[in-house]
Amino acid sequence: MIFEKQKHFSLRKLKFGLVSVAIIAFLFAVTKTAEADETVITEQRQTSKINASSQKVENQTSNQVEAKTDSANKDPQEKTGSVATDAPSMNSANNMSQSDKQNTVNEISSDSQQTKTDEQTNLPQNSFKQQSAHVKMTTEAEKTPSHSINTFVNDGNGNWYYLGADGRNVTGSHTIGGKTMYFAQDGKQVKGAFAQDSDGNKHYYDRDSGEMWTNRFVNDQGNWYYLNNDGVPVTGSITVNGQSLYFNSDGSQVKGNFVEEDGSLRYYDKNSGDLLRKTSRTINGVNYQFDNDGNARAIDKIEVVKTSLVVDSYEFGPSVSKIILEFNYKVTPAVVHAGAMVTTAGVQRKILNSYVSNASGHVVYFDSSHYVTLELDIPYDPNDSSRNASPFIFDSAAFRNNWVNSYTVKVDNLQVQADGSNSSQIISSEQDAINNRFLPTTDRFSERGSYGNFNYAAYQPEAAIGGEKNPLIVWLHGIGEVGTDINIPLLASNVARLTEDPIQSHFTSTGSGSQKGAYVLVPQSSTPWSQNQTASLMALIKAYVASHPDIDSRRIYLAGVSNGGGMTLDMGVAYPNYFAALVPIAASYSNQLTDNQITAAALKALKGQPMWLIHTRADKTISADSSVLPFYKELLQAGAQNKWLSYYETNVGKHHSGVTYNGHWSWIYFLNDQVTGTQNTDNAKNWSGLSGMVATNPTYGGDARATVNGRTYSNVFDWLNGQRRR
């Protein structure tokens, strides 16, 4: 009995145990189901959070990109417009496939304008959780309907798919959530790339949202495209945001290249892509002119083919006053020298003026020309001759002037405009121009020739009329101008001033005196002047006078400087009855003085000849104490009449204010028409030897005036004009 009760108890325990197991199993199943439901709910909540997070990150990205592209000097084409993205379509940054990382595509919004630089913009990748860690895509899964429909799924490798209503992967173009997207044949969503639809049109899909882009630029693999309202890349010519752009047949934009349109050649800028208009540009070594419509016309580059010098004479000698540039093409008067630089013989020069000209440098008005002339300032440094840019060089061994062997002219940043063009080209050149010289100063001596051993040049005034005649000035150069190039003595001492109006106006014709002007004859000796040349020089002078019958033979004046001043005295001694007056300047008196006493021959010949002497106390080449002063005193003490001395302390010129020249150059005063005052002849007679002699009023040569037969002369040239041969 007892046993039987125990048996029943055991059976009850067994039944209870089985029931308990069943209950526990049921409860476990319910728990698992609840956990699974909670997992789905949690994932949905996460998905909802992803949607919100995606929108927030997208907005932040857009703001960052827009702020970035507002920076100066960035190509507006780099401005990237963000597209709102559905969270399920966003792949995790951590799970982005390697192929997606390598296929980064830069995009910009349609309200951007292309400008200067094609550089890619790296947008930040948004980090999102994967929709489900349990979804695994396989080819078999594509065949087998899933429990999920109408949703995005991620295969864990960064690829997104969309499951349609049948739970299968969709392909091709689809509109999802109001956005046009594209899925490849394997179901993968196209992002950050182009895809071709069934009609053969390419479309670009955002790298983040996968949405098709419209009305904006995109850069794909280094090429720019513009997508129209349908998202299709445009082709041909189109205006975008005020820019005229061009796209090839494949949609890629033309930049830095020519396009032939309607029979015309047009060029699109390599940076902005904009059509070039109203400008010129050198492209691949060829110069092009672009009109208002962008039509290109090839023009050759303007180049300097020859540089010439215009050499003028000044009180200190010759200098290059202008340079003439000859171009291979005609240029317009629109020459711009502001900002240009000119260097001659290593000295930087200031450009005073510029204009189109003829071949010799004379301005051409209202017309184009092959030539442009630049007027330059005239430098002079009395302490450093290398800074003067002179075309002369003084050979101290031979004691004479010569042309320099080379004279380089360098021009930079000069702007000229080709004839028929509306834009300028920048000109730079460097050439040796010493053998291309124009000498307008010496051209005033229009008569050139040779006689015996001399070359000569002569100036002729306007021909006298009515039987009247003009006087003649014979000029003898210094030792530095000996040689066979007649232009050297014409330039070295500024003797051309004798031919110019200020001096010419002092001279009048015979008779009524209505004719103004004087002849000027400049002989050149191949050797220093000497007494044994007097006869041959006189032969030249007489031959010239004979060939010009309107020269007044009673008014032939002889003037000379330095070695030529000594020759002036030698000619006066040899031919005392030929010249109407003598003007020795900074002269050597070695042939007329012995132990500071005038020779008997010189005194006899020169006593009766009108004479005006010019010298400076600062002359270190020919000391006044051993030359002009004893000579002049001896003449006065011998009773000579009509003898005058302008005696200066030093040489101060007019061209450069305050510049003091070499003391020997006292001819500067003569040729500048500044010789007015003279030394008082009574004082000169009473000089006690030479010690203590001080020039009175040295600024003007003296405080007295030349007076002859009751007539006072205030100028050496007026005095010359009044002198006549006995």
Side-chain angles (χ1 to χ4, degrees):
M1 191 67 178
I2 294 172
F3 173 77
E4 191 172 346
K5 288 181 178 179
Q6 290 174 340
K7 180 179 179 182
H8 287 291
F9 177 76
S10 297
L11 289 172
R12 285 197 299 269
K13 288 178 64 176
L14 178 61
K15 290 177 180 179
F16 178 78
L18 292 172
V19 172
S20 298
V21 170
I23 292 172
I24 292 170
F26 174 76
L27 292 174
F28 180 80
V30 171
T31 301
K32 291 296 184 179
T33 301
E35 290 176 355
D37 291 342
E38 182 64 28
T39 299
V40 173
I41 293 171
T42 301
E43 290 177 351
Q44 291 175 346
R45 290 173 178 171
Q46 290 174 341
T47 300
S48 180
K49 292 179 180 180
I50 290 170
N51 283 328
S53 176
S54 173
Q55 186 65 48
K56 182 178 180 181
V57 172
E58 185 70 27
N59 291 337
Q60 292 174 346
T61 302
S62 178
N63 292 336
Q64 292 170 353
V65 174
E66 289 176 4
K68 180 179 180 180
T69 57
D70 284 340
S71 301
N73 302 321
K74 297 295 282 186
D75 190 339
Q77 188 170 346
E78 298 171 352
K79 195 184 294 181
T80 304
S82 301
V83 179
T85 307
D86 291 340
S89 71
M90 294 299 187
N91 55 316
S92 170
N94 295 328
N95 295 326
M96 186 173 63
S97 69
Q98 186 65 28
S99 62
D100 281 345
K101 293 178 181 178
Q102 294 175 348
N103 194 31
T104 302
V105 179
N106 301 320
E107 306 123 352
I108 67 172
S109 64
S110 61
D111 59 354
S112 300
Q113 189 174 340
Q114 302 175 335
T115 56
K116 291 293 182 184
T117 307
D118 295 342
E119 72 180 41
Q120 294 188 348
T121 303
N122 295 321
L123 294 176
Q125 291 290 322
N126 302 322
S127 180
F128 298 96
K129 278 189 174 182
Q130 189 175 321
Q131 182 185 9
S132 175
H134 305 289
V135 177
K136 183 177 181 181
M137 302 303 300
T138 64
T139 53
E140 189 65 28
E142 295 173 7
K143 298 176 183 179
T144 304
S146 169
H147 68 279
S148 300
I149 61 173
N150 298 327
T151 187
F152 285 94
V153 294
N154 190 318
D155 64 3
N157 294 319
N159 299 310
W160 286 95
Y161 304 77
Y162 189 80
L163 306 181
D166 59 358
R168 297 178 182 272
N169 298 338
V170 301
T171 60
S173 179
H174 289 267
T175 301
I176 303 172
K179 298 179 175 63
T180 301
M181 302 178 182
Y182 194 89
F183 301 86
Q185 290 300 310
D186 60 359
K188 294 178 183 177
Q189 186 181 11
V190 176
K191 288 188 174 185
F194 280 102
Q196 187 169 300
D197 62 18
S198 58
D199 296 328
N201 295 318
K202 292 195 305 181
H203 302 272
Y204 179 79
Y205 298 90
D206 188 271
R207 70 179 181 183
D208 292 323
S209 69
E211 183 181 7
M212 184 182 76
W213 276 29
T214 61
N215 299 318
R216 64 182 60 190
F217 288 98
V218 62
N219 188 331
D220 183 31
Q221 299 180 5
N223 292 317
W224 285 99
Y225 302 81
Y226 186 78
L227 311 172
N228 63 16
N229 192 54
D230 297 323
V232 178
V234 300
T235 60
S237 181
I238 186 174
T239 300
V240 181
N241 298 323
Q243 291 184 302
S244 296
L245 312 176
Y246 193 91
F247 298 85
N248 293 312
S249 58
D250 64 354
S252 60
Q253 187 182 3
V254 174
K255 284 190 170 187
N257 212 339
F258 285 96
V259 173
E260 188 172 350
E261 304 174 77
D262 303 325
S264 297
L265 196 64
R266 296 183 174 92
Y267 184 84
Y268 295 87
D269 186 80
K270 67 179 180 180
N271 294 318
S272 68
D274 198 10
L275 175 67
L276 291 190
R277 309 173 191 261
K278 300 170 61 177
T279 188
S280 61
R281 185 77 59 86
T282 301
I283 303 170
N284 297 327
V286 180
N287 296 291
Y288 294 91
Q289 178 70 38
F290 300 91
D291 64 16
N292 294 343
D293 297 322
N295 299 316
R297 179 174 66 89
I299 57 174
D300 289 323
K301 183 179 180 181
I302 302 175
E303 294 181 335
V304 178
V305 297
K306 182 180 179 181
T307 302
S308 299
L309 308 176
V310 176
V311 182
D312 280 308
S313 184
Y314 300 88
E315 60 189 20
F316 46 80
S319 184
V320 175
S321 59
K322 304 175 184 177
I323 59 171
I324 305 170
L325 305 176
E326 181 182 354
F327 296 100
N328 54 341
Y329 293 96
K330 282 187 175 182
V331 299
T332 71
V335 182
V336 180
H337 67 263
M341 292 181 57
V342 172
T343 301
T344 64
V347 178
Q348 186 170 329
R349 308 287 291 276
K350 182 180 180 181
I351 304 174
L352 303 178
N353 197 11
S354 60
Y355 43 83
V356 292
S357 67
N358 61 13
S360 57
H362 297 293
V363 63
V364 173
Y365 296 100
F366 313 114
D367 200 2
S368 299
S369 173
H370 283 277
Y371 304 92
V372 168
T373 293
L374 304 180
E375 295 182 358
L376 309 176
D377 69 326
I378 307 300
Y380 183 79
D381 189 331
N383 302 312
D384 186 358
S385 61
S386 66
R387 299 176 62 181
N388 297 335
S390 174
F392 274 15
I393 185 170
F394 185 74
D395 186 346
S396 57
F399 220 71
R400 65 182 60 182
N401 287 296
N402 290 307
W403 293 101
V404 296
N405 294 324
S406 176
Y407 196 92
T408 301
V409 177
K410 185 178 181 181
V411 180
D412 289 311
N413 296 320
L414 181 69
Q415 296 184 50
V416 297
Q417 186 172 300
D419 190 32
S421 173
N422 57 9
S423 60
S424 296
Q425 297 187 39
I426 304 298
I427 301 299
S428 294
S429 73
E430 185 173 353
Q431 296 181 340
D432 184 7
I434 190 60
N435 294 321
N436 308 321
R437 302 189 293 262
F438 290 95
L439 310 174
T441 301
T442 67
D443 288 345
R444 298 183 64 85
F445 295 86
S446 57
E447 186 178 354
R448 307 290 179 96
S450 61
Y451 189 91
N453 295 325
F454 303 107
N455 293 325
Y456 70 88
Y459 167 80
Q460 301 181 49
E462 185 177 348
I465 58 175
E468 297 190 357
K469 297 183 178 184
N470 292 315
L472 168 65
I473 303 171
V474 181
W475 176 267
L476 304 182
H477 61 76
I479 197 172
E481 290 73 60
V482 301
T484 57
D485 185 348
I486 188 61
N487 290 309
I488 290 180
L490 297 180
L491 292 168
S493 320
N494 203 19
V495 68
R497 294 294 300 273
L498 293 175
T499 69
E500 297 174 359
D501 289 343
I503 292 178
Q504 284 284 306
S505 63
H506 288 285
F507 295 93
T508 59
S509 61
T510 58
S512 67
S514 59
Q515 180 70 35
K516 298 289 186 181
Y519 283 81
V520 181
L521 175 65
V522 182
Q524 183 188 26
S525 176
S526 59
T527 61
W529 297 110
S530 63
Q531 284 182 315
N532 59 14
Q533 293 177 301
T534 56
S536 56
L537 177 59
M538 178 56 72
L540 165 63
I541 296 172
K542 288 183 176 182
Y544 184 79
V545 172
S547 63
H548 297 81
D550 58 337
I551 291 177
D552 187 353
S553 61
R554 296 184 63 226
R555 298 164 66 200
I556 300 174
Y557 312 120
L558 184 61
V561 297
S562 192
N563 176 234
M567 187 64 172
T568 298
L569 294 171
D570 290 338
M571 292 293 290
V573 171
Y575 303 96
N577 299 314
Y578 186 82
F579 301 102
L582 306 176
V583 185
I585 306 170
S588 169
Y589 294 83
S590 58
N591 293 332
Q592 287 79 42
L593 289 172
T594 303
D595 297 327
N596 278 349
Q597 297 289 320
I598 193 170
T599 65
L603 180 62
K604 180 181 178 181
L606 300 173
K607 183 178 178 180
Q609 294 186 57
M611 189 180 303
W612 195 307
L613 302 89
I614 303 171
H615 219 100
T616 70
R617 190 168 186 80
D619 193 336
K620 296 181 179 180
T621 302
I622 299 176
S623 173
D625 288 347
S626 59
S627 59
V628 65
L629 296 182
F631 177 82
Y632 186 57
K633 181 180 177 181
E634 288 285 325
L635 282 176
L636 294 181
Q637 288 181 337
Q641 300 294 314
N642 202 5
K643 303 288 190 298
W644 312 103
L645 169 64
S646 291
Y647 187 53
Y648 301 87
E649 283 291 338
T650 187
N651 279 323
V652 179
K654 295 175 65 176
H655 189 272
H656 291 281
S657 179
V659 172
T660 300
Y661 300 111
N662 188 315
H664 185 55
W665 300 357
S666 50
W667 54 83
I668 288 176
Y669 291 111
F670 181 75
L671 295 172
N672 279 345
D673 195 14
Q674 292 178 289
V675 180
T676 58
T678 66
Q679 296 298 305
N680 187 289
T681 56
D682 290 334
N683 291 340
K685 292 178 185 178
N686 298 320
W687 285 338
S688 180
L690 298 176
S691 62
M693 265 181 47
V694 177
T696 58
N697 196 12
T699 302
Y700 298 99
D703 55 7
R705 293 289 185 269
T707 302
V708 182
N709 298 325
R711 182 178 178 180
T712 300
Y713 298 93
S714 59
N715 181 282
V716 66
F717 294 109
D718 288 337
W719 172 82
L720 276 175
N721 186 60
Q723 309 308 304
R724 285 163 174 74
R725 188 177 64 184
R726 293 175 296 178

